[in-house]
Amino acid sequence: MNSQRNILIVISGPSGVGKGTIVNRLMGGNNNMVLSVSCTTRQPREGEQDGVSYFFVKKERFMQMIERGELLEYSAHFDNYYGTPKSFVEDKLKRSDVLLEIEVDGALQVKKSHPEAVLIMLLPPSEGELERRLKNRGTESEEKIAQRVSRVKYELSRAGEYDYRVVNDDLDVAVQQIKDIIRKEKEIKI
Ligand code: ADP
Ligand code: 5GP
């Protein structure tokens, strides 16, 4: 007999690989999956709403959350802090699947505290295509793009520690592969 469990899914990948695009597709119409909203000290980009894209907080508040153990994981990168609120995730997991879109250091911290979490790394078809996507998105200055490109090799070097690796070449194919992984991981054979 098969039963289902609620799972914690973590999606990572270098900047520009398509994480945001894929997460939007996974969330669309899926009412049994909740997207965790992270806290960050970075400035909102145009169009980003507090509490929707991120909770935008001051560095002092972020430090307080670390000290009080309010974060499931956190990382400092691109000159800012980013972290996942612990109580939100643990509460939502009682009723639904929870999706985190976070970078590699944080993802591997989650795997330590929640070994049953399912870690998926998105890979670009090539480094050239990755840079093209990041530039085309047009949300960052040249300097910020260079900063993000310089982290790509590090992120890709940790791909072997993930449970799954999915190449985002054709978007529909990548989304379907992730849906298949989630369906398989939710099944508990009893
Ligand atoms: P990330 O969240 O990983 O930084 P985004 O989701 O913002 O990346 O995607 C970066 C850019 O690449 C966007 O302009 C997006 O429309 C585009 N993109 C995403 N997936 C694909 C794909 N499979 N093929 C071509 N372009 C893509
Ligand atoms: P951006 O500034 O483009 O929104 O995000 C930059 C990076 O931070 C992305 O790789 C994203 O996955 C990561 N990120 C977003 N939220 C979190 C978080 O809560 N924790 C960690 N560790 N990384 C995060």
Side-chain angles (χ1 to χ4, degrees):
M1 201 171 86
N2 282 343
S3 176
Q4 302 241 303
R5 63 176 181 134
N6 294 332
I7 54 173
L8 181 55
I9 306 139
V10 181
I11 294 191
S12 307
S15 216
V17 73
K19 298 181 296 296
T21 308
I22 286 184
V23 164
N24 281 340
R25 291 275 293 267
L26 291 173
M27 294 307 300
N30 187 336
N31 48 21
N32 199 37
M33 183 147 67
V34 174
L35 179 62
S36 161
V37 179
S38 297
C39 297
T40 183
T41 58
R42 91 152 158 72
Q43 291 296 311
R45 292 185 189 127
E46 201 165 312
E48 283 185 331
Q49 273 178 278
D50 190 37
V52 179
S53 314
Y54 284 102
F55 292 106
F56 295 99
V57 299
K58 296 229 176 328
K59 191 172 169 193
E60 296 70 44
R61 171 67 186 126
F62 201 97
M63 294 301 133
Q64 191 183 53
M65 286 190 289
I66 296 175
E67 275 164 30
R68 294 183 178 171
E70 292 171 10
L71 297 174
L72 182 63
E73 60 71 38
Y74 69 93
S75 162
H77 52 275
F78 305 147
D79 299 332
N80 283 295
Y81 286 91
Y82 295 79
T84 305
K86 190 194 279 179
S87 59
F88 178 87
V89 170
E90 293 184 343
D91 185 51
K92 295 292 177 193
L93 259 183
K94 291 177 192 152
R95 280 171 291 280
S96 53
D97 299 323
V98 178
L99 182 58
L100 307 185
E101 191 251 276
I102 63 176
E103 57 67 63
V104 289
D105 293 339
L108 296 169
Q109 286 174 49
V110 171
K111 191 72 180 174
K112 279 202 181 123
S113 61
H114 291 70
E116 74 292 353
V118 179
L119 266 53
I120 303 173
M121 168 78 76
L122 286 177
L123 301 172
S126 67
E127 287 194 22
E129 169 64 9
L130 181 65
E131 205 165 331
R132 196 188 63 76
R133 286 184 194 170
L134 195 52
K135 286 189 174 142
N136 276 359
R137 190 175 67 185
T139 52
E140 269 90 14
S141 63
E142 283 290 327
E143 186 203 337
K144 296 270 179 219
I145 289 177
Q147 199 181 40
R148 280 154 195 268
V149 169
S150 73
R151 200 175 152 89
V152 171
K153 280 200 170 54
Y154 171 66
E155 301 237 340
L156 297 179
S157 75
R158 312 297 299 266
E161 293 165 74
Y162 277 61
D163 299 304
Y164 297 94
R165 287 153 291 279
V166 171
V167 178
N168 180 22
D169 190 357
D170 181 298
L171 183 62
D172 289 333
V173 172
V175 169
Q176 192 54 51
Q177 284 175 348
I178 295 173
K179 285 183 176 169
D180 290 344
I181 291 169
I182 294 172
R183 191 176 317 112
K184 187 181 96 184
E185 288 282 347
K186 282 182 68 62
E187 271 179 24
I188 316 169
K189 292 188 177 59
I190 45 176

